[in-house]
């Protein structure tokens, strides 16, 4: 065998993932809101990209030219200057705060005092203010407690109070032992306990507690319901959780009616008083697709409100490309190619999503017409083969995408479920349909609590061939307790 170097020509096929192809695949997995953020970054990087104008936006009125003033001889009088608004001293006393000469960086800048406080129904332009923009962020629990501590605590005790408040978690519980805090601050334990007692008198009631029992006891004291019987009940919450009502009645020395009343009182207390403060407000899920019934078919469309629209500013390219050096022209050509590709990729992304959504609606039409009980088992491969795409493409399209229809808001992944064989040998049913049947059976069980074995028999009677362990798995996935837990909750009035 020759070991000398030589040149050979070979032909081979290989799949090359270009940066453009990688980015196009990445775009498929983004939701409309995530895509909006991505496009904003691209518009900052590429000067040839610009947002398409909103066709529904009202056009700005053209300014009406003012007639020229006739020439005059001699200087203007003081009265004329006041009439024309040119007297600086007097005009400063009569300022139009809504004038465009003032800088307005928020809707509240153009509102009066009543409008800023939300007392006015409309701004000067006749439109109501956006209350979401004017609303302050929710006050955190620590800020709320520090504000109260500043009124009743001073000096070194304020320093201790601030440290204790810093150790209170978002649920309102003190998570650090008082002895550790006293050693850390170098003060007596009794002094720390005294400051904690002050904090536990703050709003919300129950804040600063170290255990659930202490939290409930603080709220019972505030409601003037902390008698010896209630104290015994709070001290034995473990018995209440296990449903040992007979033992509890003997410990508290009460009858059935009093025990039921005490349990009802406990249920009205807040076990996590700190959760009403702080934290980011929940963000609503914005649908990416809308599905509506149109005659005998279905109308499927993208959510245009969150779908960004881009244009390539070719006029700017033609204007700038005429001059400049060679490197500048090469960079501008790259920007033009990148902009053209992005617009094309966005259009292809929209077509692919609509194609996948159309096939989902076609295969799950019974669900859209009759409900979850008629949801069919469906896999990514079935949709991919129907639309002649790869299974991974369908998986990316259905990730983080939501569909809105008359039955509610659903993630596209919701429609892909495993199959449960029918007991009579008929068509398989969806796992979601079985979950819906389990939920309905438990909701209507009344005083006759159904065990998992009883649920299996009832489901078999409905035509579902399902094992007991599968019923238990689906029941736990629905957040429903076992028959023992449901019977215990029923016994204590749950």
């Amino acid at each position: 065998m020759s070991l000398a170097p030589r040149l050979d020509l070979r032909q081979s096929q290989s799949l090359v993932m270009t940066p453009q192809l990688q980015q196009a695949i990445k775009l498929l997995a983004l939701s409309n809101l995530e895509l909006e953020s991505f496009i904003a970054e691209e518009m900052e990087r590429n000067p040839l990209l610009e947002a398409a104008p909103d066709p529904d936006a009202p056009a700005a009125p053209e300014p009406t030219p003012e007639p020229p003033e006739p020439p005059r001889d001699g200087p203007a009088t003081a009265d004329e200057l006041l009439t024309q608004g040119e007297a600086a001293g007097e005009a400063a006393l009569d300022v139009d705060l809504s004038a465009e000469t003032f800088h307005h960086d928020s809707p509240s800048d153009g509102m009066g005092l009543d409008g800023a406080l939300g007392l006015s129904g409309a701004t000067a332009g006749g439109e109501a203010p956006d209350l979401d923009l004017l609303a302050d962020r929710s006050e955190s629990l620590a800020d709320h407690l520090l504000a109260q501590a500043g009124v009743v605590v001073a000096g070194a005790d304020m320093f201790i109070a601030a440290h204790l408040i810093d150790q209170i978690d978002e649920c309102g519980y003190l998570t650090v032992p008082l002895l550790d805090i006293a050693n850390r601050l170098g003060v007596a334990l009794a002094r720390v306990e005294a400051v904690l007692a002050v904090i536990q008198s703050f709003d919300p009631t129950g804040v600063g507690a170290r255990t659930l029992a202490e939290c409930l006891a603080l709220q019972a004291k505030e409601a003037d319901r902390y008698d010896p019987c209630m104290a015994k009940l709070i001290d034995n919450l473990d018995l209440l959780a296990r449903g040992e009502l007979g033992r509890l009645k003997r410990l508290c020395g009460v009858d059935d009616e009093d025990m039921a009343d005490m349990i009802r009182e406990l249920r009205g207390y807040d076990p996590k008083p700190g959760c009403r403060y702080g934290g980011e407000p929940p963000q609503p899920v914005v649908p990416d697709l809308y599905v509506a019934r149109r005659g005998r078919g279905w109308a499927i469309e993208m959510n245009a409100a969150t779908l960004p629209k881009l244009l390539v500013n070719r006029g700017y390219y033609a204007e700038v490309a005429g001059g400049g050096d060679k490197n500048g022209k090469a960079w501008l050509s790259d920007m033009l190619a990148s902009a053209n590709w992005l617009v094309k990729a966005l259009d292809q992304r929209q077509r692919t999503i609509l194609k996948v959504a159309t096939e989902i609606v076609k295969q799950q039409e019974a669900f859209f017409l009759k409900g979850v009980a008629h949801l069919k088992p469906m896999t990514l491969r079935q949709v991919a083969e129907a639309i002649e795409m790869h299974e991974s493409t369908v998986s990316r399209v259905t990730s983080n995408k939501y569909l809105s229809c008359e039955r509610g808001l659903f993630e596209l992944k919701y429609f892909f479920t495993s199959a449960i064989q029918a007991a009579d040998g008929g068509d398989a049913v969806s796992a979601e349909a079985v979950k819906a049947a389990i939920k309905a059976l438990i909701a209507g069980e009344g005083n006759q609590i159904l065990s998992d074995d009883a649920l299996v028999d009832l489901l078999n009677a409905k035509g579902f061939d399902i094992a007991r362990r599968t019923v238990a798995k689906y029941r736990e996935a629905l957040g429903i307790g076992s028959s023992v837990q449901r019977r215990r909750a029923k016994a204590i009035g749950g």
Side-chain angles (χ1 to χ4, degrees):
M1 183 177 67
S2 175
L3 299 179
R6 62 180 182 179
L7 296 176
D8 289 333
L9 292 178
R10 295 180 181 178
Q11 268 190 337
S12 64
Q13 290 183 342
S14 62
L15 180 62
V16 179
M17 293 285 288
T18 64
Q20 289 83 3
L21 180 58
Q22 293 177 13
Q23 199 167 36
I25 293 175
K26 178 183 176 182
L27 291 178
L28 282 177
L30 299 179
S31 65
N32 283 358
L33 295 181
E34 294 171 336
L35 183 64
E36 188 176 1
S37 176
F38 170 79
I39 289 179
E41 296 177 0
E42 288 295 315
M43 290 177 63
E44 291 182 1
R45 186 183 66 86
N46 195 333
L48 299 181
L49 287 173
E50 62 180 16
D54 188 0
D56 298 331
E62 297 183 358
T64 304
E66 297 182 359
E69 297 183 359
R72 54 172 294 116
D73 297 332
T77 63
D79 292 338
E80 291 173 344
L81 290 175
L82 287 175
T83 304
Q84 298 172 4
E86 297 177 1
E90 288 79 355
L93 301 177
D94 188 17
V95 179
D96 183 8
L97 295 178
S98 63
E100 291 299 327
T101 55
F102 289 88
H103 175 66
H104 298 287
D105 57 3
S106 73
S108 61
D109 290 342
M111 299 169 59
L113 179 60
D114 291 343
L117 296 177
L119 303 178
S120 176
T123 61
E127 297 182 358
D130 189 349
L131 297 181
D132 291 336
L133 295 177
L134 299 180
D136 294 332
R137 290 190 177 272
S138 57
E139 184 183 24
S140 67
L141 177 62
D143 293 340
H144 183 65
L145 296 177
L146 286 173
Q148 299 176 76
V151 178
V152 298
V153 183
D157 287 347
M158 182 61 193
F159 178 75
I160 299 174
H163 190 80
L164 286 171
I165 290 172
D166 188 54
Q167 303 301 323
I168 294 177
D169 63 11
E170 61 182 8
C171 295
Y173 288 88
L174 182 64
T175 57
V176 180
L178 291 185
L179 184 58
D180 293 350
I181 296 177
N183 293 334
R184 188 182 309 164
L185 299 180
V187 296
L189 178 60
R191 189 170 185 180
V192 178
E193 292 176 343
V195 176
L196 178 60
V198 175
I199 293 176
Q200 290 179 346
S201 66
F202 291 168
D203 176 72
T205 305
V207 72
R210 287 155 288 184
T211 62
L212 174 61
E214 186 178 13
C215 178
L216 297 178
L218 290 172
Q219 297 180 60
K221 291 176 182 177
E222 179 69 19
D224 197 20
R225 290 296 306 270
Y226 193 70
D227 52 21
C229 297
M230 180 64 77
K232 279 289 184 181
L233 177 61
I234 293 176
D235 290 340
N236 294 276
L237 292 177
D238 55 334
L239 298 180
L240 180 62
R242 294 197 297 266
E244 299 183 16
L245 299 184
R247 187 176 175 185
L248 274 177
K249 285 187 291 185
R250 290 192 300 271
L251 287 173
C252 299
V254 295
D255 55 14
D256 293 342
E257 183 178 355
D258 290 337
M259 177 57 66
D261 183 61
M262 291 165 61
I263 293 176
R264 194 179 305 111
E265 179 75 20
L266 272 187
R267 289 184 178 276
Y269 297 155
D270 188 356
K272 298 179 180 180
C275 290
R276 17 180 141 159
Y277 294 91
E280 291 293 330
Q283 298 296 329
V285 176
V286 179
D288 300 271
L289 293 156
Y290 290 106
V291 176
R293 183 75 170 168
R294 293 290 184 270
R296 295 184 178 180
W298 300 91
I300 306 172
E301 62 179 8
M302 301 290 291
N303 186 359
T306 59
L307 189 64
K309 297 180 181 179
L310 281 182
L311 293 178
V312 180
N313 194 338
R314 301 185 184 277
Y316 178 73
Y317 171 78
E319 180 180 351
V320 178
D325 57 0
K326 183 178 180 180
N327 293 332
K329 290 182 179 180
W331 176 82
L332 200 62
S333 297
D334 291 342
M335 291 296 101
L336 179 62
S338 176
N340 287 333
W341 171 85
L342 182 58
V343 172
K344 182 179 179 181
L346 290 175
D347 180 68
Q348 182 63 34
R349 171 186 179 273
Q350 182 173 350
R351 293 175 182 272
T352 304
I353 293 176
L354 286 174
K355 194 172 184 179
V356 172
T358 300
E359 184 62 27
I360 290 175
V361 174
K362 178 181 178 182
Q363 295 198 25
Q364 299 289 1
E365 186 175 13
F367 164 82
F368 292 97
L369 291 174
K370 302 176 183 178
V372 67
H374 299 271
L375 190 66
K376 299 178 180 179
M378 186 175 66
T379 62
L380 295 173
R381 182 181 296 274
Q382 290 175 333
V383 175
E385 291 176 352
I387 62 178
E388 298 180 350
M389 287 186 176
H390 197 271
E391 187 176 346
S392 62
T393 302
V394 178
S395 176
R396 291 186 179 93
V397 168
T398 54
S399 298
N400 303 319
K401 309 287 190 313
Y402 288 85
L403 179 149
S404 177
C405 62
E406 63 180 6
R407 298 197 176 275
L409 187 66
F410 301 92
E411 189 178 8
L412 291 183
K413 290 285 188 183
Y414 173 82
F415 299 99
F416 297 90
T417 59
S418 57
I420 301 295
Q421 295 299 324
D424 56 0
D427 295 336
V429 294
S430 167
E432 291 295 332
V434 177
K435 289 181 182 179
I438 293 174
K439 187 175 182 180
L441 288 173
I442 294 178
E445 64 185 0
N447 294 326
Q448 298 295 326
I449 305 300
L450 299 174
S451 64
D452 289 345
D453 291 327
L455 288 173
V456 169
D457 295 338
L458 292 174
L459 291 172
N460 287 335
K462 289 178 175 288
F464 301 136
D465 186 10
I466 188 170
R468 181 185 181 280
R469 62 180 180 275
T470 307
V471 171
K473 181 180 70 173
Y474 287 171
R475 174 180 52 72
E476 292 173 359
L478 292 170
I480 300 175
S482 64
S483 58
V484 175
Q485 293 171 328
R486 300 200 306 275
R487 189 176 294 109
R488 184 183 302 156
K490 184 76 69 175
I492 63 176

